[in-house]
Amino acid sequence: MKLLKRTAFSLLGILLLVLITATVVEKICGTDFVSEHIYSSVPFVVLWGALSVASLAYIVKCRLPQQHTTFFLLHLSFLLILAGAFITWMCGEQGTMRISQGEKQQAFVDKEGIRHELPFTVILDNFEIVYYKGTQAPMDFVSHISISDADRPDGVRGQVSMNNIFSYRGYRLYQSGYSEDGTGSVFSISHDPYGIGVTYAGYVLLLFSMILFFFSPQSRFRRLLKSPLLRKVAAVLLLSVAFPSSSVAAGADDRMPKVLPVEVAGQFGDLYILYNNRICPLQTFARDFTIKLYGKPSYRGLTPEQVLTGWIFYYDSWKNEPVIRIKSREARGLLGIKGSYATLKDYASTVNEYKLEKAMSRIHAGEQVAGKRGIEEADEKFNIISQVCTGAMMKIFPCRGADGKTLEWYSQSDQLPRDMDDDKWIFIRKSMNYVNEMVVMKKYDNACGVIAKIREYQRKECAGLLPPDSRFDAEKLYNHFDYSLPIALVCICVGLAGFFYGCRCMMRRCGFGRWATVSSGVLLLLVFLYLSATICLRGYVSNHLPLSNGYETMQFMAWCTLLLTFLLRSRFIMILPFGFLLCGLSLMVSMLGESNPQVTQLMPVLQSPLLSFHVVVIMIAYSLLAFVMLNGLTALILHFSRGDDCVEEVEQLQLISNILLYPAVFLLAIGIFIGAVWANVSWGRYWGWDPKEVWALVTMMIYALALHPGSLPWFRRPLFFHVFSVVAFFSVLVTYFGVNFLLGGMHSYA
């Protein structure tokens, strides 16, 4: 028995080391190298097989099938999933087919360049790109195909699009791309008639057994919930609110730059613009422009619209304004500035030479330049200002295409079509010049009249293709939700204060007044309502669940943290400071990871509802694991400060962590396999050994160890368990942040 146990868990440890090492090697040697020498290698498959056999033998030896049917089914589901993966590795075929409109194809090519014949012929009847309304941003790629097969004289017709598979005789066709000229398709071909079925059966059994586990009276989770220790938990919450004060950039002149009146600048914000491949209020562009330059959505109390129009109409005044934030020490040295903010004039030398030209030339030549990223960022800001001042980025003039369904958007300085009507040509070329003349003469009413005519032209030209007025207004409202930073700082301060004060009260075994719990609950509710409104507005504006990038997922994680805090606060009052702390950190990370969050159209492959479920479940799991980590940290502080006097409290914290750990690990497993199904629907493979996939699997396997205290008695010891819960959270950090910023891969946007 002991030999089987040691063999199974030793193989698991070896596998974890191999997986972790593989992600590092992939960063150094490339994806193809690790795919060939590790993930697709025979020793790697043998390692998985040995682990499966040893685990199955140990399960049978422990008489798990007879004594705990639910636990046996749970473990059996993982073995079934691995069996399906092995069948796919042995028998599955994958490749790519390129086909032009009207062409016939009867073969596909795998990644090694080997040609595989199909038992039928594929004919591409028609290919079309479906765009988001009023833009040239692709919403979907659709191929209409016919199948020519001797067994089907009448022929077969079908359609392939993103997340819409066409299956025939065990072969599945996926829309993975299209040719450069837009007249042909690129299909991913997958032939895996047995492996996918077995794997999916494992997924179904996994979900079924997990549900049974939570309802089974034999489960350890149910026994933990009935523990008398759970009723003895006592903690406290101390509220401390600190609002940050804003300050003007050092070195800024007391004299304000020239700007339009707020009302006139606001009229510009009501115009439509094609920005980031979508139609949105010009206010959104102005806000992102201001944040890009200054790091904040407002400069010296001016609105984003005033900042943008200030650069357009009062260039000579704004070029002397220290509004350009330069983060890089190397870039500041090249520009010759001492503070963190530069003026546009700082970019030019006394002989009118561009100060970053030599450094950028070296970067473009592929040379290693110190502070490369910071110099590129400083250069980007200069170019953005140039494009705004020349009008190149102000694509506010739509023009219908010949098909009447698509729009081309132009700026005043763009090359206009030769066949454009003269009146329209003159309006696009001259209208903004006329606004400029009215601004110079301070005839703001006349300027507003021209702006109104531009908006009228936009609505007429874009009839039926503009976003609804409600969505337009919702985006303008969303642009005013600029309170994430102060809320994050308040939550962190409250969380830290409550955490340390709670530890102090637990050591003294003293209670506290109810006012603290009520007050913290009210504050938590207010933050929760703010986040709910922000997420709902962003989702309504973008027309999809806001879970498509790092900023959105961290905002959602903050929301999940607050929701879990509300649900669990009656069981464990210490979760209140944990909730504040995690919410604040999540909001802070969302802003650090993307200081200029933009609402964008979803890539076609990301439009599957499975993606939303995948992200939601994973984020909830991460939130629970974060609570477990903070629980462990609390227990360690109690242990090393009071020793044996806090034995009962440390055990209580272990009990609570164990209760949270089961849904956390189960949700993580479900999230991983929902992601696998999404990948299979989108790309024709349910597992690609992407670094984030690997680290998510590593995280699940590490935390799963703590769910086996019967086999691993170390986890029955409170101190060891708490140390493990703190150290194991490192795998979560690597999965979410390490992969994004260090290892890369397909998931680096999340």
Side-chain angles (χ1 to χ4, degrees):
M1 176 74 80
K2 288 185 178 180
L3 180 61
L4 276 176
K5 181 178 74 172
R6 290 173 181 173
T7 302
F9 285 103
S10 296
L11 289 172
L12 178 60
I14 294 171
L15 180 62
L16 285 171
L17 290 175
V18 171
L19 292 175
I20 292 170
T21 304
T23 59
V24 178
V25 173
E26 180 174 357
K27 179 66 177 178
I28 300 171
C29 302
T31 301
D32 292 339
F33 179 86
V34 294
S35 177
E36 179 182 353
H37 294 89
I38 299 180
Y39 297 133
S40 298
S41 66
V42 174
F44 187 70
V45 175
V46 170
L47 177 59
W48 276 104
L51 174 61
S52 301
V53 171
S55 301
L56 181 60
Y58 180 58
I59 289 171
V60 173
K61 192 71 174 178
C62 291
R63 303 186 65 185
L64 205 61
Q66 297 87 356
Q67 297 180 0
H68 302 287
T69 306
T70 302
F71 304 159
F72 174 70
L73 292 177
L74 186 63
H75 289 82
L76 182 64
S77 65
F78 287 103
L79 295 175
L80 200 59
I81 292 168
L82 290 176
F86 178 72
I87 294 171
T88 298
W89 181 76
M90 288 290 294
C91 308
E93 295 177 309
Q94 285 189 338
T96 302
M97 174 192 290
R98 297 181 180 273
I99 182 170
S100 299
Q101 198 163 290
E103 188 180 56
K104 299 180 180 180
Q105 273 285 11
Q106 199 175 354
F108 64 92
V109 179
D110 63 20
K111 63 180 181 180
E112 296 176 355
I114 301 174
R115 182 182 173 90
H116 298 261
E117 295 293 329
L118 294 170
F120 53 87
T121 302
V122 180
I123 305 166
L124 180 61
D125 298 323
N126 184 43
F127 173 76
E128 60 177 328
I129 303 175
V130 181
Y131 297 95
Y132 284 100
K133 289 178 66 174
T135 74
Q136 292 296 312
M139 184 177 71
D140 204 354
F141 315 133
V142 183
S143 297
H144 302 273
I145 63 173
S146 299
I147 300 296
S148 176
D149 189 353
D151 295 341
R152 295 285 298 272
D154 54 339
V156 179
R157 292 184 178 275
Q159 179 177 302
V160 189
S161 59
M162 301 304 296
N163 302 316
N164 180 37
I165 310 167
F166 177 81
S167 299
Y168 185 74
R169 293 183 62 175
Y171 290 86
R172 297 180 300 159
L173 278 67
Y174 301 80
Q175 185 73 56
S176 61
Y178 58 92
S179 59
E180 293 182 1
D181 58 6
T183 61
S185 281
V186 180
F187 293 137
S188 292
I189 309 292
S190 176
H191 183 234
D192 185 18
Y194 309 110
I196 290 177
V198 175
T199 302
Y200 276 20
Y203 294 163
V204 172
L205 182 60
L206 174 67
L207 181 60
F208 176 71
S209 58
M210 283 182 173
I211 294 172
L212 284 181
F213 175 83
F214 285 110
F215 288 97
S216 172
Q218 297 177 323
S219 71
R220 182 167 176 258
F221 179 77
R222 292 290 296 273
R223 294 199 304 271
L224 290 172
L225 286 177
K226 296 177 181 178
S227 172
L229 277 175
L230 196 60
R231 303 189 186 99
K232 297 181 180 179
V233 178
V236 70
L237 191 63
L238 177 67
L239 295 178
S240 171
V241 179
F243 290 91
S245 59
S246 59
S247 60
V248 180
D253 198 327
D254 291 337
R255 186 175 53 193
M256 294 292 288
K258 292 182 179 180
V259 293
L260 291 177
V262 175
E263 298 78 11
V264 181
Q267 291 270 9
F268 275 95
D270 287 335
L271 292 176
Y272 296 93
I273 186 174
L274 182 70
Y275 170 58
N276 225 3
N277 276 328
R278 68 186 190 92
I279 303 171
C280 65
L282 191 140
Q283 180 199 64
T284 299
F285 172 69
R287 183 177 182 274
D288 286 354
F289 172 76
T290 306
I291 294 176
K292 189 75 173 178
L293 258 59
Y294 187 58
K296 300 176 183 178
S298 176
Y299 174 70
R300 300 180 69 179
L302 301 173
T303 67
E305 296 96 318
Q306 286 180 300
V307 175
L308 177 68
T309 54
W311 279 103
I312 295 174
F313 299 115
Y314 302 108
Y315 172 81
D316 289 335
S317 175
W318 278 83
K319 69 181 181 181
N320 299 311
E321 202 66 23
V323 69
I324 309 171
R325 187 183 182 194
I326 307 297
K327 301 177 184 178
S328 166
R329 179 170 54 85
E330 290 80 6
R332 290 199 294 266
L334 291 174
L335 295 176
I337 61 173
K338 295 181 179 180
S340 299
Y341 293 86
T343 68
L344 193 65
K345 288 183 66 176
D346 291 327
Y347 280 81
S349 66
T350 53
V351 292
N352 207 30
E353 291 182 345
Y354 183 50
K355 293 181 180 179
L356 301 182
E357 183 175 0
K358 292 182 179 178
M360 290 305 300
S361 296
R362 292 177 59 198
I363 290 173
H364 292 153
E367 297 182 30
Q368 293 296 323
V369 177
K372 173 186 172 184
R373 185 172 179 178
I375 295 171
E376 289 177 328
E377 184 179 315
D379 177 71
E380 180 191 18
K381 293 182 179 182
F382 176 84
N383 291 327
I384 287 174
I385 293 175
S386 301
Q387 292 180 63
V388 165
C389 293
T390 59
M393 292 190 74
M394 299 282 289
K395 293 187 178 295
I396 59 175
F397 298 103
C399 184
R400 277 190 184 267
D403 58 1
K405 297 180 181 179
T406 58
L407 289 174
E408 289 288 343
W409 288 75
Y410 299 99
S411 69
Q412 179 187 8
S413 59
D414 281 341
Q415 183 71 38
L416 302 179
R418 294 184 178 181
D419 57 352
M420 180 179 286
D421 294 341
D422 290 342
D423 292 342
K424 190 181 294 184
W425 191 94
I426 293 172
F427 183 78
I428 294 174
R429 280 282 186 256
K430 304 297 183 181
S431 56
M432 284 298 291
N433 291 339
Y434 186 68
V435 173
N436 190 34
E437 291 178 15
M438 295 301 102
V439 168
V440 171
M441 293 186 288
K442 296 187 177 180
K443 295 182 178 180
Y444 298 125
D445 290 341
N446 293 349
C448 289
V450 180
I451 296 169
K453 288 183 178 180
I454 294 175
R455 194 168 194 271
E456 182 182 341
Y457 164 83
Q458 291 178 326
R459 296 183 71 89
K460 180 180 178 181
E461 194 70 18
C462 300
L465 298 177
L466 290 174
D469 289 343
S470 59
R471 185 167 292 150
F472 187 86
D473 294 337
E475 182 159 357
K476 291 179 65 180
L477 177 62
Y478 174 80
N479 289 335
H480 288 94
F481 273 62
D482 299 327
Y483 309 108
S484 292
L485 179 59
I487 287 176
L489 293 175
V490 168
C491 287
I492 290 173
C493 290
V494 171
L496 287 174
F499 173 71
F500 289 114
Y501 195 84
C503 291
R504 178 173 174 270
C505 289
M506 290 182 74
M507 286 186 287
R508 294 186 174 186
R509 294 188 176 92
C510 62
F512 57 98
R514 190 179 177 186
W515 67 268
T517 306
V518 174
S519 301
S520 62
V522 171
L523 180 59
L524 208 65
L525 179 61
L526 293 175
V527 178
F528 180 79
L529 292 175
Y530 167 80
L531 278 177
S532 299
T534 302
I535 292 171
C536 289
L537 274 175
R538 189 176 178 94
Y540 180 63
V541 168
S542 61
N543 202 27
H544 62 76
L545 285 176
L547 299 169
S548 60
N549 56 42
Y551 172 82
E552 292 175 347
T553 54
M554 289 309 296
Q555 290 264 329
F556 184 77
M557 183 169 179
W559 185 87
C560 288
T561 298
L562 295 183
L563 180 62
L564 290 170
T565 302
F566 275 117
L567 296 176
L568 300 174
R569 73 185 191 282
S570 60
R571 288 277 187 176
F572 179 40
I573 196 64
M574 193 67 179
I575 207 166
L576 283 168
F578 289 175
F580 277 115
L581 192 57
L582 287 176
C583 175
L585 291 174
S586 298
L587 290 176
M588 190 68 73
V589 170
S590 73
M591 290 177 286
L592 292 175
E594 188 174 325
S595 60
N596 185 11
Q598 299 171 354
V599 182
T600 60
Q601 305 280 21
L602 267 185
M603 294 165 55
V605 74
L606 300 181
Q607 294 177 19
S608 170
L610 288 172
L611 170 64
S612 300
F613 290 122
H614 165 66
V615 176
V616 167
V617 173
I618 290 287
M619 287 295 105
I620 294 174
Y622 287 168
S623 298
L624 288 170
L625 293 177
F627 282 131
V628 172
M629 181 273 295
L630 290 173
N631 237 4
L633 191 60
T634 305
L636 293 177
I637 291 174
L638 292 175
H639 173 77
F640 288 107
S641 59
R642 294 296 301 272
D644 294 338
D645 292 341
C646 292
V647 172
E648 184 177 346
E649 285 79 3
V650 171
E651 291 177 352
Q652 291 169 352
L653 291 171
Q654 183 190 17
L655 171 65
I656 294 167
S657 291
N658 272 312
I659 291 173
L660 296 178
L661 199 58
Y662 279 98
V665 175
F666 284 12
L667 286 173
L668 183 58
I670 292 171
I672 290 172
F673 295 125
I674 289 176
V677 174
W678 167 53
N680 191 42
V681 171
S682 299
W683 293 297
R685 53 164 181 73
Y686 46 84
W687 198 264
W689 297 111
D690 181 75
K692 181 154 283 193
E693 292 175 353
V694 173
W695 269 98
L697 180 63
V698 167
T699 300
M700 185 189 75
M701 293 166 71
I702 287 175
Y703 276 101
L705 292 173
L707 303 184
H708 295 79
S711 300
L712 301 173
W714 295 334
F715 288 101
R716 300 177 203 163
R717 304 171 187 172
L719 187 61
F720 177 86
F721 178 88
H722 290 306
V723 171
F724 169 83
S725 65
V726 173
V727 175
F729 193 71
F730 177 75
S731 66
V732 176
L733 297 178
V734 174
T735 303
Y736 194 85
F737 300 107
V739 172
N740 289 359
F741 301 112
L742 298 176
L743 299 178
M746 291 188 308
H747 292 75
S748 58
Y749 59 83

